[in-house]
């Protein structure tokens, strides 16, 4: 230990040094306490803010249903009124719990679709024949024309359904070339096209005529029959091979030729046929006859 450590001066220096160190420790502890207090205040403020935020949220309290309804004066339970307190509630079926409703009656199932085929139908109308008949347009399904080649060889629609059938008829057929109207096509066989032919066939005498048929397919179909007469009263009989409605039309001219377009709309089951009979009902002159030009199927 040196000489500066001894004596009154050295003691005072040591005393001041100790006081300085003690003051520094007090300052450090004071600063620490202030920092802790500041941090604690910040933490408390954050917790208060979170609690305040959570306290402002509104959560609807689930409504608790009563397990037992108060009895009405009649002794039957009633439902709470939708209008709130003070409004008389509607009576419910005994045994139902609150807020339950009487079940709706079970819906009546739709009736099963009918599997029965449509009823057969038949309708016939008559009109004048156009000056030019386009068989390609009139018969997209099938068509037949008579008289162009000879009395026994008709022209058919090329790739047609062949559902128009010539069933014959009484009397001898004769071809002619002076029909009042013309017929044309672009899809024929064996004659591919005709620009406007006046050919047809006829047969003379009462009771003679033509018999035709068209196949049914279960749907409604349309047949156009182009026919005529000469000095006769002619009769068209239309019926279905399966039975049902029948139709009869008459056409007459005692002096000269007359033609008509007969439109037949029919429905027949698959396998059944539409039957057409065009005959001389009464001859009114020499060789009173009926004629046949064409039939078209749509």
């Amino acid at each position: 230990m040196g000489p500066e450590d001894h004596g009154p001066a050295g003691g005072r220096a040591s005393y001041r040094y100790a006081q300085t160190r003690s003051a520094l420790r007090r300052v450090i502890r004071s600063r620490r306490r202030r920092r802790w207090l500041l941090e604690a205040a910040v933490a408390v403020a954050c917790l208060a803010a979170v609690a305040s935020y959570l306290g402002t949220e509104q959560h609807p309290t689930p409504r608790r249903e009563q397990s037992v309804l108060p009895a009405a004066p009649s002794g039957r339970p009633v439902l709470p009124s939708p209008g709130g307190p003070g409004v008389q509630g509607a009576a419910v079926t005994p045994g139902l719990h609150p807020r339950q409703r009487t079940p709706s009656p079970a819906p009546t199932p739709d009736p099963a679709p009918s599997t029965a085929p449509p009823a057969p139908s038949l309708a016939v109308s008559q009109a004048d024949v156009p000056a030019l008949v386009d068989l390609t347009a009139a018969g997209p399904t099938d068509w037949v024309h008579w008289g162009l080649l000879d009395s026994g060889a008709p022209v058919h629609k090329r790739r047609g359904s062949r559902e128009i059938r010539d069933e014959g008829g009484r009397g001898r057929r004769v071809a002619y070339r002076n029909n009042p109207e013309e017929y044309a096509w672009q899809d024929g066989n064996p004659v591919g096209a005709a620009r406007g032919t006046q050919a047809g066939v006829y047969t003379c005498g009462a009771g003679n005529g033509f018999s035709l048929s068209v196949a049914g397919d279960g749907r409604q179909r349309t047949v156009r029959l182009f026919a005529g007469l000469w000095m006769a009263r002619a009769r068209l009989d239309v019926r279905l091979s399966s039975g049902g409605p029948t139709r009869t039309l008459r056409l007459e001219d005692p002096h000269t030729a007359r033609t008509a377009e007969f439109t037949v709309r029919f429905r027949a089951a698959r396998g059944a046929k539409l039957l057409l009979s065009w005959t001389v009902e009464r001859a009114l002159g020499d060789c009173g006859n009926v004629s046949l030009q064409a039939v078209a199927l749509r």
Side-chain angles (χ1 to χ4, degrees):
M1 182 177 295
E4 65 276 11
D5 296 329
H6 300 278
R12 289 192 296 270
S14 297
Y15 178 74
R16 287 194 297 271
Y17 176 72
Q19 282 186 331
T20 301
R21 291 187 62 184
S22 177
L24 287 173
R25 284 195 295 271
R26 287 194 300 271
V27 170
I28 292 172
R29 285 195 297 271
S30 177
R31 288 180 177 176
R32 286 177 179 172
R33 283 194 297 272
R34 286 197 298 269
R35 186 173 69 245
W36 292 342
L37 290 173
L38 179 60
E39 290 175 352
V42 171
V44 170
C46 290
L47 290 174
V50 170
S52 175
Y53 172 76
L54 295 176
T56 59
E57 290 190 346
Q58 298 296 326
H59 297 284
T61 302
R63 182 178 177 180
R64 299 182 61 186
E65 300 292 344
Q66 290 180 318
S67 59
V68 179
L69 291 176
S74 62
R76 300 181 61 186
V78 295
L79 284 175
S81 170
V87 181
Q88 182 68 29
V92 297
T93 303
L96 296 180
H97 294 291
R99 299 184 65 82
Q100 287 184 317
R101 299 291 185 268
T102 304
S104 300
T108 303
D110 294 333
S114 175
T115 57
S121 62
L122 182 62
V124 185
S125 61
Q126 176 184 330
D128 292 335
V129 181
L132 177 66
V133 178
D134 183 352
L135 292 176
T136 299
T141 301
D142 198 14
W143 60 260
V144 182
H145 181 271
W146 286 266
L148 181 63
L149 300 178
D150 58 52
S151 58
V155 178
H156 293 267
K157 178 182 178 69
R158 185 172 61 247
R159 292 188 294 273
S161 66
R162 293 300 178 103
E163 293 174 295
I164 301 172
R165 302 295 298 271
D166 185 344
E167 303 289 354
R170 293 178 55 185
R172 185 175 67 91
R173 297 186 181 184
V174 179
Y176 70 103
R177 299 285 191 276
N178 60 345
N179 192 70
E181 296 83 29
E182 298 181 339
Y183 294 84
W185 59 84
Q186 297 82 40
D187 57 347
N189 181 45
V191 180
R195 298 182 61 183
T197 176
Q198 294 176 278
V201 292
Y202 70 89
T203 183
C204 299
N208 293 340
F210 306 94
S211 296
L212 307 168
S213 69
V214 180
D217 65 355
R219 300 172 296 175
Q220 181 160 306
R221 316 193 82 176
T222 301
V223 175
R224 296 171 67 183
L225 167 65
F226 302 93
L229 57 82
W230 166 265
M231 299 181 69
R233 181 170 67 227
R235 173 173 171 166
L236 175 66
D237 293 303
V238 184
R239 63 184 180 90
L240 301 175
S241 64
S242 56
T246 63
R247 299 290 183 269
T248 298
L249 279 75
R250 288 179 170 82
L251 191 66
E252 180 177 334
D253 195 309
H255 306 294
T256 186
R258 185 175 177 184
T259 58
E261 175 185 345
F262 300 101
T263 300
V264 182
R265 293 179 176 84
F266 79 101
R267 180 188 290 113
R270 189 176 298 277
K273 295 181 180 181
L274 172 72
L275 303 177
L276 304 103
S277 176
W278 180 236
T279 59
V280 178
E281 189 172 56
R282 182 180 176 186
L284 302 176
D286 186 24
C287 192
N289 64 68
V290 291
S291 62
L292 176 63
Q293 293 82 48
V295 177
L297 171 63
R298 178 179 294 276

